[in-house]
Amino acid sequence: MACLLETPIRMSVLSEVTASSRHYVDRLFDPDPQKVLQGVIDMKNAVIGNNKQKANLIVLGAVPRLLYLLQQEASTTELKTECAVVLGSLAMGTENNVKSLLDCHIIPALLQGLLSPDLKFIEACLRCLRTIFTSPVTPEELLYTDATVIPHLMALLSRSRYTQEYICQIFSHCCKGPDHQTILFNHGAVQNIAHLLTSLSYKVRMQALKCFSVLAFENPQVSMTLVNVLVDGELLPQIFVKMLQRDKPIEMQLTSAKCLTYMCRAGAIRTDDNCIVLKTLPCLVRMCSKERLLEERVEGAETLAYLIEPDVELQRIASITDHLIAMLADYFKYPSSVSAITDIKRLDHDLKHAHELRQAAFKLYASLGANDEDIRKKIIETENMMDRIVTGLSESSVKVRLAAVRCLHSLSRSVQQLRTSFQDHAVWKPLMKVLQNAPDEILVVASSMLCNLLLEFSPSKEPILESGAVELLCGLTQSENPALRVNGIWALMNMAFQAEQKIKADILRSLSTEQLFRLLSDSDLNVLMKTLGLLRNLLSTRPHIDKIMSTHGKQIMQAVTLILEGEHNIEVKEQTLCILANIADGTTAKDLIMTNDDILQKIKYYMGHSHVKLQLAAMFCISNLIWNEEEGSQERQDKLRDMGIVDILHKLSQSPDSNLCDKAKTALQQYLA
């Protein structure tokens, strides 16, 4: 029976709570304005730090009434301000609270409030807007819907330190991507915010700094402007350098380092500039130390990974700074059983976020090992490193899996490691598993790494082939994502290099000629180039050339014709002529060229082309067709002489290009022999 009573008891408790909250809402409708004001003030005191009370008031319809009072001309400024404060407090509750406020169209009402002449009311509206815009459920676009909002916010920056703090915080949270950066930049964000870096208020300085980090990220236009901005006679980069000194708060050091990193990556500061090599890089390495908080270590490692990613010299400097490679190994042991964390809340938080440390470590290892063989060796020799990466490939977090694959991909650029560590740990097995079922972003990196594992010197090539890789890769070539199509065809190209006839036949069968020709007409240039590379590798060694051309010759010749006639660049046409040269090297396959006058005319045309690369490729075709020691060479020579090829060879033997000249002379000797 007790179970039956449970629901009514719960309902009565809920109705009691709701009833106790109802009088707050009822007072908002009192005809006496003074009582309404007192009601709002009492509501403000009741909701501070009380999420249950906030939820109850929202359910009881307090929000529409508060917004009505906020927008009523008859309301006093004091009442409007108190309404904005209560709404801001409600927004500080759960994400559902924010959703409810957004559903009531709170943002347009608060933005309208910013037109008031009263500073206290403006600050209350901005504080509430700040809370709403910093919530993950609020779409940033709502800030940009009305074109008059951004210039008005810029104008309000000069009103008080609170308007400065809140507006900068709104900007830094709502600036997502180049479109937003451009809008803020065009409305004078740089000029309006720069002087705030010298504000007496730490909060204002911090929010201005955060603004610059989001404005500069991957944005050359903003970054180039920032380099030349003067504040009190000092250039911005110098101010950022001062802000990342050890005596400054960690948050300030990190954000300044981000600003300088983003400006460097955008090309506004050289990678060998002292402010990068001697200031920014060491600061970010410091952030990776185990003395720092988890989030600081994550941000430090990820920012450093981004800074050094394209520059081998910075990678070398970072690798020998403060034993960074060994320091990162601690990211995988956190929190340890003897953790110094005595704060239970902090420990609980860190246990939930420990995966972010692993992700950051993988990212930084990937950047460190991107180019230098010695650094890769050091990373792989770090305790249990390969085991950690292999474990990372099967983690539940997509971000950790992606970072682990990127790290492995970076290390797989080493011939030495492909032959040793990668083989010892059978890395290909978990990688093939990752490729079976993963989001596109992981598939792109994993398939790119597979390309390396399929190079002819890789011991993993054999077992990968046996595990059904051909079908998997042929499937990737049909993806809508061009990067996956490129990687699928690239891996097949590597697989076909110096491969046995059986592997080549498997590739052609699984890919199908229809798909091969779809790829040859792909709009993505990389896909086209790699498909031509695959064809070239398939058509190598005479027996293979003859076998493939006997079954697919007609379609291949059609494809070659189409490409040579099409609007393609020099590299594409060169590859296509090289395929023809391979066909011309076959025993029976030659006939497909010799009986095709259209193709012969095209070869002749390219022999006289203005580009030496194309002339050389056409020369290879001719040399293979007229080679004396092969059956039928006399007839082929005669036919080509009648076409005027010998005259062209004489002309090319006088070419200023020594390579072309030598090839032409060698070909002419075949006629004299």
Side-chain angles (χ1 to χ4, degrees):
M1 290 297 289
C3 291
L4 293 174
L5 289 170
E6 193 174 353
T7 306
I9 284 171
R10 279 187 180 164
M11 283 175 70
S12 65
V13 169
L14 182 63
S15 58
E16 270 176 43
V17 173
T18 314
S20 73
S21 305
R22 188 175 296 282
H23 76 280
Y24 287 115
V25 179
D26 291 344
R27 288 167 70 191
L28 301 180
F29 292 88
D30 197 289
D32 182 345
Q34 204 49 45
K35 286 183 179 174
V36 173
L37 175 62
Q38 194 53 52
V40 175
I41 292 168
D42 291 346
M43 186 184 279
K44 174 180 73 175
N45 296 329
V47 296
I48 291 171
N50 188 337
N51 275 350
K52 188 177 267 186
Q53 185 71 279
K54 289 175 187 179
N56 286 337
L57 290 170
I58 288 170
V59 167
L60 291 167
V63 177
R65 183 63 183 171
L66 287 166
L67 285 171
Y68 172 79
L69 294 170
L70 180 107
Q71 294 174 90
Q72 270 298 92
E73 277 185 37
S75 299
T76 63
T77 304
E78 188 184 1
L79 175 59
K80 288 180 179 182
T81 305
E82 292 294 350
C83 287
V85 171
V86 175
L87 288 164
S89 193
L90 294 177
M92 280 182 172
T94 64
E95 288 181 4
N96 281 335
N97 289 11
V98 177
K99 283 179 187 169
S100 301
L101 293 169
L102 290 171
D103 290 342
C104 293
H105 306 291
I106 187 170
I107 289 178
L110 291 169
L111 291 173
Q112 191 63 32
L114 299 180
L115 300 172
S116 160
D118 187 89
L119 183 58
K120 283 277 171 276
F121 178 45
I122 289 171
E123 288 173 350
C125 288
L126 282 172
R127 194 180 305 118
C128 185
L129 281 165
R130 179 270 313 265
T131 306
I132 289 167
F133 275 120
T134 53
S135 165
V137 300
T138 308
E140 298 84 22
E141 284 306 324
L142 293 174
L143 184 67
Y144 304 95
T145 313
D146 179 344
T148 63
V149 170
I150 301 295
H152 187 61
L153 288 172
M154 293 292 176
L156 290 174
L157 273 170
S158 59
R159 294 293 298 274
S160 75
R161 72 181 182 87
Y162 295 112
T163 65
Q164 291 166 351
E165 179 193 335
Y166 304 146
I167 291 169
C168 284
Q169 203 170 351
I170 291 167
F171 285 163
S172 62
H173 270 85
C174 294
C175 183
K176 301 274 196 272
D179 291 348
H180 296 165
Q181 288 171 328
T182 303
I183 292 169
L184 293 173
F185 179 78
N186 289 344
H187 282 101
V190 173
Q191 295 77 0
N192 284 303
I193 296 170
H195 71 279
L196 303 182
L197 291 170
T198 56
S199 165
L200 295 174
S201 159
Y202 171 76
K203 285 183 175 178
V204 171
R205 292 201 304 278
M206 245 344 284
Q207 293 307 332
L209 199 53
K210 285 180 178 175
C211 255
F212 282 128
S213 78
V214 296
L215 282 168
F217 182 63
E218 292 186 343
N219 194 313
Q221 184 189 23
V222 174
S223 296
M224 294 291 188
T225 305
L226 291 181
V227 168
N228 299 309
V229 170
L230 279 169
V231 179
D232 294 348
E234 213 170 2
L235 286 167
L236 264 194
Q238 293 167 331
I239 293 174
F240 293 151
V241 166
K242 280 185 179 174
M243 288 175 139
L244 54 71
Q245 287 169 353
R246 288 169 189 261
D247 61 339
K248 295 291 185 286
I250 295 298
E251 178 190 29
M252 183 171 273
Q253 290 185 47
L254 249 176
T255 314
S256 305
K258 275 178 151 179
C259 289
L260 290 161
T261 293
Y262 298 160
M263 288 163 74
C264 177
R265 282 298 307 266
I269 301 175
R270 289 168 55 98
T271 53
D272 59 358
D273 191 297
N274 281 350
C275 76
I276 298 297
V277 178
L278 303 179
K279 301 292 181 182
T280 309
L281 187 146
C283 169
L284 290 169
V285 173
R286 279 201 309 277
M287 296 302 145
C288 299
S289 127
K290 58 180 163 193
E291 280 72 52
R292 301 266 54 87
L293 291 174
L294 177 141
E295 46 270 43
E296 293 161 0
R297 294 169 80 187
V298 168
E299 215 173 325
E302 292 195 341
T303 308
L304 182 56
Y306 182 67
L307 172 65
I308 68 174
E309 187 182 20
D311 191 89
V312 66
E313 201 45 49
L314 288 180
Q315 289 157 14
R316 288 182 184 136
I317 295 165
S319 73
I320 55 168
T321 303
D322 293 351
H323 309 288
L324 177 65
I325 291 174
M327 198 196 296
L328 285 177
D330 288 333
Y331 278 44
F332 297 95
K333 305 171 193 168
Y334 186 87
S336 63
S337 52
V338 289
S339 178
I341 302 174
T342 49
D343 178 346
I344 295 298
K345 264 190 174 177
R346 166 50 69 176
L347 185 61
D348 181 54
H349 167 273
D350 285 5
L351 283 166
K352 285 177 184 159
H353 294 268
H355 68 277
E356 291 175 21
L357 274 176
R358 296 193 292 279
Q359 177 195 335
F362 283 140
K363 278 186 181 175
L364 185 43
Y365 276 137
S367 282
L368 283 164
N371 295 290
D372 190 284
E373 192 64 32
D374 292 336
I375 299 174
R376 288 187 198 122
K377 192 168 182 289
K378 273 189 204 167
I379 293 170
I380 284 171
E381 286 170 359
T382 304
E383 50 179 319
N384 308 323
M385 194 59 219
M386 289 305 283
D387 292 332
R388 283 177 178 143
I389 299 175
V390 167
T391 305
L393 293 176
S394 54
E395 280 215 27
S396 57
S397 160
V398 172
K399 288 182 174 179
V400 177
R401 289 209 307 277
L402 177 61
V405 174
R406 281 202 174 124
C407 182
L408 208 48
H409 180 236
S410 177
L411 300 174
S412 76
R413 295 187 182 118
S414 160
V415 175
Q416 178 63 29
Q417 301 309 332
L418 281 175
R419 285 181 167 154
T420 53
S421 306
F422 277 61
Q423 188 60 11
D424 298 342
H425 290 82
V427 165
W428 65 270
K429 283 183 183 172
L431 186 72
M432 289 298 285
K433 204 172 168 188
V434 167
L435 282 160
Q436 302 298 334
N437 184 21
D440 269 15
E441 56 182 343
I442 290 181
L443 275 180
V444 168
V445 189
S447 56
S448 188
M449 190 192 147
L450 196 61
C451 294
N452 293 347
L453 291 179
L454 286 167
L455 290 164
E456 88 278 9
F457 51 74
S458 165
S460 309
K461 185 172 182 176
E462 221 38 38
I464 290 171
L465 282 167
E466 287 162 14
S467 67
V470 175
E471 284 79 8
L472 189 144
L473 294 169
C474 290
L476 289 183
T477 69
Q478 296 180 31
S479 168
E480 287 181 18
N481 183 332
L484 285 177
R485 293 202 300 279
V486 169
N487 287 349
I489 206 76
W490 195 340
L492 289 170
M493 181 184 91
N494 287 352
M495 196 185 273
F497 183 73
Q498 295 182 351
E500 302 164 14
Q501 172 65 38
K502 182 189 174 300
I503 293 168
K504 291 182 178 180
D506 282 351
I507 292 171
L508 273 169
R509 188 182 61 253
S510 296
L511 192 61
S512 83
T513 42
E514 291 80 7
Q515 177 60 7
L516 186 66
F517 298 124
R518 266 198 293 275
L519 293 165
L520 286 171
S521 55
D522 200 290
S523 57
D524 189 288
L525 178 62
N526 288 325
V527 174
L528 173 56
M529 283 296 285
K530 292 291 175 276
T531 309
L532 291 170
L534 169 63
L535 255 181
R536 197 172 165 183
N537 286 351
L538 290 170
L539 294 165
S540 61
T541 72
R542 279 186 187 167
H544 298 178
I545 295 167
D546 291 335
K547 181 87 177 77
I548 290 169
M549 291 307 287
S550 69
T551 50
H552 300 87
K554 190 180 171 190
Q555 298 99 313
I556 289 172
M557 295 304 282
Q558 268 178 345
V560 165
T561 306
L562 280 171
I563 292 170
L564 290 177
E565 284 176 353
E567 292 293 318
H568 294 290
N569 67 22
I570 299 296
E571 283 69 26
V572 168
K573 299 215 168 175
E574 182 193 16
Q575 276 284 347
T576 310
L577 287 166
C578 288
I579 290 168
L580 269 183
N582 283 14
I583 296 168
D585 193 38
T587 305
T588 55
K590 281 181 172 64
D591 296 341
L592 286 161
I593 296 177
M594 291 307 299
T595 55
N596 189 327
D597 288 344
D598 187 22
I599 285 285
L600 288 172
Q601 287 298 334
K602 284 181 171 52
I603 295 171
K604 179 183 174 182
Y605 165 75
Y606 285 109
M607 283 177 79
H609 199 275
S610 58
H611 206 289
V612 173
K613 272 186 176 181
L614 297 182
Q615 289 178 290
L616 275 168
M619 278 292 312
F620 276 117
C621 298
I622 295 298
S623 296
N624 285 344
L625 290 172
I626 63 174
W627 206 253
N628 259 328
E629 294 158 21
E630 290 164 16
E631 197 181 325
S633 62
Q634 192 58 55
E635 289 88 341
R636 290 194 292 276
Q637 285 183 6
D638 292 345
K639 180 168 182 177
L640 293 170
R641 180 189 277 112
D642 293 345
M643 281 179 61
I645 295 294
V646 175
D647 297 338
I648 299 173
L649 288 174
H650 278 297
K651 197 187 282 181
L652 292 177
S653 67
Q654 308 300 314
S655 168
D657 184 277
S658 59
N659 207 353
L660 192 56
C661 171
D662 292 346
K663 291 280 179 295
K665 285 176 181 173
T666 306
L668 282 169
Q669 281 168 5
Q670 297 303 309
Y671 274 95
L672 300 170

PDB file of all heavy atoms in Angstrom, residues 148 190 250 253 257 262 268 294 324 348 366 378 401 422 425 488 497 547 568 664:
ATOM      1  N   THR A 148      22.069  46.747 -36.150  1.00  0.00           N
ATOM      2  CA  THR A 148      22.386  47.945 -35.345  1.00  0.00           C
ATOM      3  C   THR A 148      22.988  47.584 -33.981  1.00  0.00           C
ATOM      4  O   THR A 148      23.496  48.456 -33.268  1.00  0.00           O
ATOM      5  CB  THR A 148      21.118  48.791 -35.098  1.00  0.00           C
ATOM      6  OG1 THR A 148      20.188  47.999 -34.332  1.00  0.00           O
ATOM      7  CG2 THR A 148      20.463  49.205 -36.400  1.00  0.00           C
ATOM      8  N   VAL A 190      38.919  46.127 -32.972  1.00  0.00           N
ATOM      9  CA  VAL A 190      40.339  46.229 -32.586  1.00  0.00           C
ATOM     10  C   VAL A 190      40.620  47.572 -31.911  1.00  0.00           C
ATOM     11  O   VAL A 190      41.180  47.636 -30.808  1.00  0.00           O
ATOM     12  CB  VAL A 190      41.263  46.015 -33.817  1.00  0.00           C
ATOM     13  CG1 VAL A 190      42.719  46.296 -33.455  1.00  0.00           C
ATOM     14  CG2 VAL A 190      41.113  44.592 -34.353  1.00  0.00           C
ATOM     15  N   ILE A 250      47.752  32.830 -14.139  1.00  0.00           N
ATOM     16  CA  ILE A 250      47.882  31.775 -15.158  1.00  0.00           C
ATOM     17  C   ILE A 250      46.923  32.005 -16.329  1.00  0.00           C
ATOM     18  O   ILE A 250      47.291  31.871 -17.498  1.00  0.00           O
ATOM     19  CB  ILE A 250      47.625  30.379 -14.533  1.00  0.00           C
ATOM     20  CG1 ILE A 250      48.709  30.054 -13.508  1.00  0.00           C
ATOM     21  CG2 ILE A 250      47.573  29.298 -15.615  1.00  0.00           C
ATOM     22  CD1 ILE A 250      50.110  29.968 -14.054  1.00  0.00           C
ATOM     23  N   GLN A 253      48.411  34.558 -18.566  1.00  0.00           N
ATOM     24  CA  GLN A 253      49.558  34.015 -19.309  1.00  0.00           C
ATOM     25  C   GLN A 253      49.079  33.165 -20.487  1.00  0.00           C
ATOM     26  O   GLN A 253      49.544  33.315 -21.618  1.00  0.00           O
ATOM     27  CB  GLN A 253      50.420  33.142 -18.387  1.00  0.00           C
ATOM     28  CG  GLN A 253      51.199  33.895 -17.326  1.00  0.00           C
ATOM     29  CD  GLN A 253      52.106  32.955 -16.543  1.00  0.00           C
ATOM     30  OE1 GLN A 253      52.815  32.133 -17.125  1.00  0.00           O
ATOM     31  NE2 GLN A 253      52.089  33.059 -15.219  1.00  0.00           N
ATOM     32  N   ALA A 257      49.425  33.957 -24.497  1.00  0.00           N
ATOM     33  CA  ALA A 257      50.156  32.992 -25.333  1.00  0.00           C
ATOM     34  C   ALA A 257      49.298  32.563 -26.522  1.00  0.00           C
ATOM     35  O   ALA A 257      49.795  32.385 -27.633  1.00  0.00           O
ATOM     36  CB  ALA A 257      50.566  31.780 -24.500  1.00  0.00           C
ATOM     37  N   TYR A 262      48.124  32.547 -32.244  1.00  0.00           N
ATOM     38  CA  TYR A 262      47.198  32.711 -33.378  1.00  0.00           C
ATOM     39  C   TYR A 262      47.735  33.730 -34.387  1.00  0.00           C
ATOM     40  O   TYR A 262      47.580  33.562 -35.596  1.00  0.00           O
ATOM     41  CB  TYR A 262      45.805  33.134 -32.887  1.00  0.00           C
ATOM     42  CG  TYR A 262      45.138  32.109 -31.985  1.00  0.00           C
ATOM     43  CD1 TYR A 262      44.096  32.463 -31.127  1.00  0.00           C
ATOM     44  CD2 TYR A 262      45.550  30.771 -31.977  1.00  0.00           C
ATOM     45  CE1 TYR A 262      43.487  31.529 -30.299  1.00  0.00           C
ATOM     46  CE2 TYR A 262      44.950  29.834 -31.149  1.00  0.00           C
ATOM     47  CZ  TYR A 262      43.917  30.225 -30.317  1.00  0.00           C
ATOM     48  OH  TYR A 262      43.317  29.296 -29.501  1.00  0.00           O
ATOM     49  N   ALA A 268      51.285  36.737 -39.133  1.00  0.00           N
ATOM     50  CA  ALA A 268      51.569  38.129 -38.759  1.00  0.00           C
ATOM     51  C   ALA A 268      52.860  38.251 -37.948  1.00  0.00           C
ATOM     52  O   ALA A 268      53.448  39.318 -37.868  1.00  0.00           O
ATOM     53  CB  ALA A 268      50.398  38.696 -37.961  1.00  0.00           C
ATOM     54  N   LEU A 294      44.254  20.760 -14.235  1.00  0.00           N
ATOM     55  CA  LEU A 294      43.955  19.943 -15.424  1.00  0.00           C
ATOM     56  C   LEU A 294      43.626  20.798 -16.646  1.00  0.00           C
ATOM     57  O   LEU A 294      44.201  20.615 -17.716  1.00  0.00           O
ATOM     58  CB  LEU A 294      42.799  18.987 -15.107  1.00  0.00           C
ATOM     59  CG  LEU A 294      42.313  18.107 -16.260  1.00  0.00           C
ATOM     60  CD1 LEU A 294      41.988  16.709 -15.759  1.00  0.00           C
ATOM     61  CD2 LEU A 294      41.087  18.669 -16.954  1.00  0.00           C
ATOM     62  N   LEU A 324      59.870  18.106 -22.210  1.00  0.00           N
ATOM     63  CA  LEU A 324      58.442  18.095 -22.572  1.00  0.00           C
ATOM     64  C   LEU A 324      57.929  16.698 -22.913  1.00  0.00           C
ATOM     65  O   LEU A 324      56.843  16.305 -22.486  1.00  0.00           O
ATOM     66  CB  LEU A 324      58.195  19.057 -23.743  1.00  0.00           C
ATOM     67  CG  LEU A 324      56.748  19.085 -24.273  1.00  0.00           C
ATOM     68  CD1 LEU A 324      55.786  19.626 -23.229  1.00  0.00           C
ATOM     69  CD2 LEU A 324      56.651  19.949 -25.529  1.00  0.00           C
ATOM     70  N   ASP A 348      36.767  14.773  -8.254  1.00  0.00           N
ATOM     71  CA  ASP A 348      35.636  14.252  -9.030  1.00  0.00           C
ATOM     72  C   ASP A 348      35.608  14.902 -10.419  1.00  0.00           C
ATOM     73  O   ASP A 348      35.433  14.230 -11.433  1.00  0.00           O
ATOM     74  CB  ASP A 348      34.335  14.556  -8.270  1.00  0.00           C
ATOM     75  CG  ASP A 348      33.115  14.023  -9.009  1.00  0.00           C
ATOM     76  OD1 ASP A 348      33.103  12.816  -9.335  1.00  0.00           O
ATOM     77  OD2 ASP A 348      32.185  14.812  -9.295  1.00  0.00           O
ATOM     78  N   ALA A 366      51.548  14.440 -31.713  1.00  0.00           N
ATOM     79  CA  ALA A 366      51.371  14.432 -33.183  1.00  0.00           C
ATOM     80  C   ALA A 366      52.102  15.613 -33.811  1.00  0.00           C
ATOM     81  O   ALA A 366      52.778  15.471 -34.836  1.00  0.00           O
ATOM     82  CB  ALA A 366      49.889  14.484 -33.539  1.00  0.00           C
ATOM     83  N   LYS A 378      62.110   9.460 -30.018  1.00  0.00           N
ATOM     84  CA  LYS A 378      61.997   9.780 -28.589  1.00  0.00           C
ATOM     85  C   LYS A 378      60.575   9.541 -28.078  1.00  0.00           C
ATOM     86  O   LYS A 378      60.371   9.037 -26.981  1.00  0.00           O
ATOM     87  CB  LYS A 378      62.351  11.262 -28.353  1.00  0.00           C
ATOM     88  CG  LYS A 378      63.835  11.518 -28.137  1.00  0.00           C
ATOM     89  CD  LYS A 378      64.005  12.977 -27.703  1.00  0.00           C
ATOM     90  CE  LYS A 378      65.395  13.496 -28.010  1.00  0.00           C
ATOM     91  NZ  LYS A 378      65.487  14.949 -27.898  1.00  0.00           N
ATOM     92  N   ARG A 401      39.854   9.334 -29.526  1.00  0.00           N
ATOM     93  CA  ARG A 401      40.147   8.409 -30.640  1.00  0.00           C
ATOM     94  C   ARG A 401      40.760   9.173 -31.811  1.00  0.00           C
ATOM     95  O   ARG A 401      41.746   8.758 -32.407  1.00  0.00           O
ATOM     96  CB  ARG A 401      38.876   7.690 -31.114  1.00  0.00           C
ATOM     97  CG  ARG A 401      38.345   6.674 -30.153  1.00  0.00           C
ATOM     98  CD  ARG A 401      37.596   5.523 -30.831  1.00  0.00           C
ATOM     99  NE  ARG A 401      36.541   5.902 -31.735  1.00  0.00           N
ATOM    100  CZ  ARG A 401      35.289   6.207 -31.382  1.00  0.00           C
ATOM    101  NH1 ARG A 401      34.956   6.199 -30.105  1.00  0.00           N
ATOM    102  NH2 ARG A 401      34.381   6.519 -32.274  1.00  0.00           N
ATOM    103  N   PHE A 422      55.685  -0.211 -35.267  1.00  0.00           N
ATOM    104  CA  PHE A 422      54.331  -0.419 -35.796  1.00  0.00           C
ATOM    105  C   PHE A 422      54.068  -1.904 -36.032  1.00  0.00           C
ATOM    106  O   PHE A 422      52.953  -2.383 -35.879  1.00  0.00           O
ATOM    107  CB  PHE A 422      54.135   0.373 -37.096  1.00  0.00           C
ATOM    108  CG  PHE A 422      53.782   1.802 -36.859  1.00  0.00           C
ATOM    109  CD1 PHE A 422      54.643   2.656 -36.175  1.00  0.00           C
ATOM    110  CD2 PHE A 422      52.575   2.319 -37.290  1.00  0.00           C
ATOM    111  CE1 PHE A 422      54.324   3.971 -35.933  1.00  0.00           C
ATOM    112  CE2 PHE A 422      52.231   3.649 -37.063  1.00  0.00           C
ATOM    113  CZ  PHE A 422      53.115   4.472 -36.379  1.00  0.00           C
ATOM    114  N   HIS A 425      53.808  -3.866 -32.512  1.00  0.00           N
ATOM    115  CA  HIS A 425      52.531  -3.671 -31.806  1.00  0.00           C
ATOM    116  C   HIS A 425      51.316  -3.978 -32.688  1.00  0.00           C
ATOM    117  O   HIS A 425      50.191  -3.712 -32.278  1.00  0.00           O
ATOM    118  CB  HIS A 425      52.438  -2.236 -31.266  1.00  0.00           C
ATOM    119  CG  HIS A 425      53.380  -1.969 -30.144  1.00  0.00           C
ATOM    120  ND1 HIS A 425      54.717  -1.659 -30.369  1.00  0.00           N
ATOM    121  CD2 HIS A 425      53.223  -2.007 -28.800  1.00  0.00           C
ATOM    122  CE1 HIS A 425      55.320  -1.486 -29.205  1.00  0.00           C
ATOM    123  NE2 HIS A 425      54.438  -1.692 -28.242  1.00  0.00           N
ATOM    124  N   GLY A 488      40.998   6.854 -50.017  1.00  0.00           N
ATOM    125  CA  GLY A 488      40.665   5.503 -50.486  1.00  0.00           C
ATOM    126  C   GLY A 488      41.458   5.154 -51.733  1.00  0.00           C
ATOM    127  O   GLY A 488      42.088   4.093 -51.828  1.00  0.00           O
ATOM    128  N   PHE A 497      51.216  -0.682 -56.046  1.00  0.00           N
ATOM    129  CA  PHE A 497      52.605  -0.451 -56.440  1.00  0.00           C
ATOM    130  C   PHE A 497      53.416  -1.743 -56.349  1.00  0.00           C
ATOM    131  O   PHE A 497      53.520  -2.354 -55.299  1.00  0.00           O
ATOM    132  CB  PHE A 497      53.228   0.632 -55.549  1.00  0.00           C
ATOM    133  CG  PHE A 497      54.644   0.983 -55.918  1.00  0.00           C
ATOM    134  CD1 PHE A 497      54.904   1.724 -57.061  1.00  0.00           C
ATOM    135  CD2 PHE A 497      55.711   0.561 -55.152  1.00  0.00           C
ATOM    136  CE1 PHE A 497      56.206   2.056 -57.420  1.00  0.00           C
ATOM    137  CE2 PHE A 497      57.023   0.884 -55.500  1.00  0.00           C
ATOM    138  CZ  PHE A 497      57.261   1.631 -56.646  1.00  0.00           C
ATOM    139  N   LYS A 547      47.495  -8.156 -69.618  1.00  0.00           N
ATOM    140  CA  LYS A 547      46.306  -8.816 -69.045  1.00  0.00           C
ATOM    141  C   LYS A 547      45.204  -7.786 -68.801  1.00  0.00           C
ATOM    142  O   LYS A 547      44.049  -7.988 -69.193  1.00  0.00           O
ATOM    143  CB  LYS A 547      46.714  -9.477 -67.712  1.00  0.00           C
ATOM    144  CG  LYS A 547      45.594 -10.224 -67.004  1.00  0.00           C
ATOM    145  CD  LYS A 547      45.517 -11.662 -67.511  1.00  0.00           C
ATOM    146  CE  LYS A 547      44.470 -12.470 -66.779  1.00  0.00           C
ATOM    147  NZ  LYS A 547      43.102 -12.214 -67.172  1.00  0.00           N
ATOM    148  N   HIS A 568      42.395  20.212 -68.578  1.00  0.00           N
ATOM    149  CA  HIS A 568      43.104  19.780 -67.374  1.00  0.00           C
ATOM    150  C   HIS A 568      44.466  20.443 -67.285  1.00  0.00           C
ATOM    151  O   HIS A 568      45.026  20.872 -68.300  1.00  0.00           O
ATOM    152  CB  HIS A 568      43.270  18.253 -67.370  1.00  0.00           C
ATOM    153  CG  HIS A 568      41.969  17.513 -67.250  1.00  0.00           C
ATOM    154  ND1 HIS A 568      41.233  17.503 -66.088  1.00  0.00           N
ATOM    155  CD2 HIS A 568      41.266  16.778 -68.158  1.00  0.00           C
ATOM    156  CE1 HIS A 568      40.131  16.784 -66.288  1.00  0.00           C
ATOM    157  NE2 HIS A 568      40.128  16.336 -67.529  1.00  0.00           N
ATOM    158  N   ALA A 664      65.362  12.337 -77.438  1.00  0.00           N
ATOM    159  CA  ALA A 664      65.108  12.400 -78.885  1.00  0.00           C
ATOM    160  C   ALA A 664      66.224  11.689 -79.654  1.00  0.00           C
ATOM    161  O   ALA A 664      65.971  10.930 -80.604  1.00  0.00           O
ATOM    162  CB  ALA A 664      64.982  13.846 -79.333  1.00  0.00           C
TER     163      ALA A 664
END
